[in-house]
Amino acid sequence: MIAVLAGFLFANNTTLLAAEPGGRPLVLAHRGMAQTYPMDGVDADTCTASRINPPVHDYLENTIAGIRAAFDAGANQVEFDVHWTADGKFAVFHDWTLDCRTDGTGTTRDHTMDELRKLDIGYGYTADGGKTYPFRGKGVGLMPTLDEVLAAFPNQSLLIDIKSNDPAEGAALADRLAAEKPGRLTVYGGDEPIAVVHKRLPDMRVMSKQIMIDCLGRYEALGWTGAAPDACRHTQLHIPEGYARWLWGWPERFAERMAEADARIVLVAGSGGFSEGFDTPEALDRIPAGFTGLVWTNRVDMIAPLFGEHR
């Protein structure tokens, strides 16, 4: 009996018997085409604009131009961040406070969208400890609204990061996205707003920490049978590379099962903490053969052109 069970587990989960995957990995561009920074020592309070790497391009994160440049470079999906404003709109901006990147202070919730447009979103960027500020004066008026991003990219795949844990913000976002095509949009963020979005827009892919725990926890318990739990349905799973190898049937069988549940897979680098990405040519060697999901990167300009060569 034990031998039969062992044989079933092997046959049902080995990648040796999986269908030959077609295509190559896809590219998810974090914040569009953006300035990068060293990841060492970064925590939740780090002002990353004050420690950027020497710029290799002129694009700023979370801008229309930066998102367009990411798609032009070969991104298959682009991630951007949203915050609620004082007048009930969604501003596309990453940080909870304005002080790090801009010449403003306070939070987006303290300001109307008209006030936020007047800020210089390139004000705080420096690569030399404050000796020079290469983007100061160049970012005035570049903070877009969610509506503007959706209008500028009506057919492209977009990943929206709601930066609060406010369920009311989730409800407002769900109302805004109700008329959009669910297949091209994915929403992730705090457990509470994402739970609201998931309830109101059940066909839209979503992701939160709790959804990841529910989906993958149940998959670890039952995935050996070949079934994808209902908790995984209509989700986008951001899976750290260090954890991925423990998933039943990784990567091909796992991908087949998640596809049946309309779940999309994103492979993130390392532990997945603080936006770690596959950001160098050498990092691509860590992507397993047969993986055709999305790969998270902070360097879409470097990584996207390499995928054709890598496979």
Side-chain angles (χ1 to χ4, degrees):
M1 184 62 180
I2 295 177
V4 172
L5 179 59
F8 172 79
L9 288 173
F10 175 80
N12 204 39
N13 293 284
T14 179
T15 60
L16 297 176
L17 301 178
E20 187 69 24
R24 60 167 179 80
L26 305 177
V27 179
L28 195 168
H30 179 224
R31 305 187 203 175
M33 190 83 81
Q35 300 302 315
T36 61
Y37 50 86
M39 295 290 182
D40 56 295
V42 172
D43 60 31
D45 297 323
T46 300
C47 175
T48 56
S50 68
R51 53 178 289 166
I52 61 170
N53 296 313
V56 296
H57 58 71
D58 294 330
Y59 296 102
L60 295 175
E61 64 179 54
N62 285 310
T63 61
I64 298 288
I67 295 172
R68 180 172 291 113
F71 280 123
D72 288 345
N76 301 97
Q77 185 178 76
V78 173
E79 186 262 9
F80 63 93
D81 309 291
V82 296
H83 282 279
W84 221 0
T85 66
D87 53 344
K89 298 180 181 179
F90 282 100
V92 177
F93 188 71
H94 175 269
D95 300 354
W96 185 255
T97 61
L98 300 167
D99 306 64
C100 169
R101 296 179 198 281
T102 82
D103 52 345
T105 59
T107 73
T108 58
R109 293 186 178 212
D110 297 327
H111 300 273
T112 66
M113 194 64 221
D114 285 344
E115 291 170 340
L116 293 171
R117 286 189 191 281
K118 297 175 183 177
L119 298 178
D120 178 4
I121 64 170
Y123 187 85
Y125 285 83
T126 179
D128 53 16
K131 295 178 182 177
T132 60
Y133 290 86
F135 300 106
R136 186 166 288 186
K138 299 179 181 180
V140 179
L142 294 188
M143 188 188 301
T145 65
L146 171 63
D147 288 348
E148 289 168 336
V149 171
L150 295 179
F153 306 98
N155 301 308
Q156 290 91 333
S157 179
L158 299 169
L159 173 59
I160 302 168
D161 184 0
I162 186 168
K163 301 303 291 186
S164 82
N165 197 33
D166 184 349
E169 192 167 339
L173 184 60
D175 289 343
R176 171 59 188 86
L177 300 180
E180 298 288 333
K181 300 175 184 177
R184 80 179 188 94
L185 299 179
T186 301
V187 184
Y188 80 125
D191 292 335
E192 294 194 27
I194 294 304
V196 174
V197 173
H198 199 25
K199 182 176 181 180
R200 294 198 180 190
L201 304 175
D203 293 332
M204 182 167 289
R205 292 191 186 96
V206 294
M207 195 276 283
S208 68
K209 182 178 180 180
Q210 189 58 54
I211 286 172
M212 288 280 291
I213 291 172
D214 290 345
C215 166
L216 296 181
R218 296 178 190 184
Y219 183 77
E220 291 288 20
L222 299 172
W224 58 272
T225 66
D230 286 342
C232 300
R233 188 163 300 279
H234 303 315
T235 62
Q236 178 159 303
L237 305 173
H238 294 191
I239 300 176
E241 61 176 319
Y243 174 73
R245 65 179 180 270
W246 301 108
L247 295 168
W248 295 104
W250 174 263
E252 293 99 327
R253 288 289 180 86
F254 177 76
E256 291 170 4
R257 294 161 187 171
M258 292 301 113
E260 291 176 0
D262 189 37
R264 184 184 284 133
I265 305 168
V266 180
L267 186 64
V268 296
S271 65
F274 296 105
S275 306
E276 294 175 72
F278 291 85
D279 298 336
T280 65
E282 295 76 18
L284 299 189
D285 293 333
R286 306 201 308 270
I287 299 172
F291 180 78
T292 56
L294 287 158
V295 172
W296 183 282
T297 185
N298 299 293
R299 286 298 309 271
V300 60
D301 54 320
M302 176 186 294
I303 297 304
L306 294 176
F307 270 123
E309 304 171 10
H310 185 69
R311 294 300 177 192

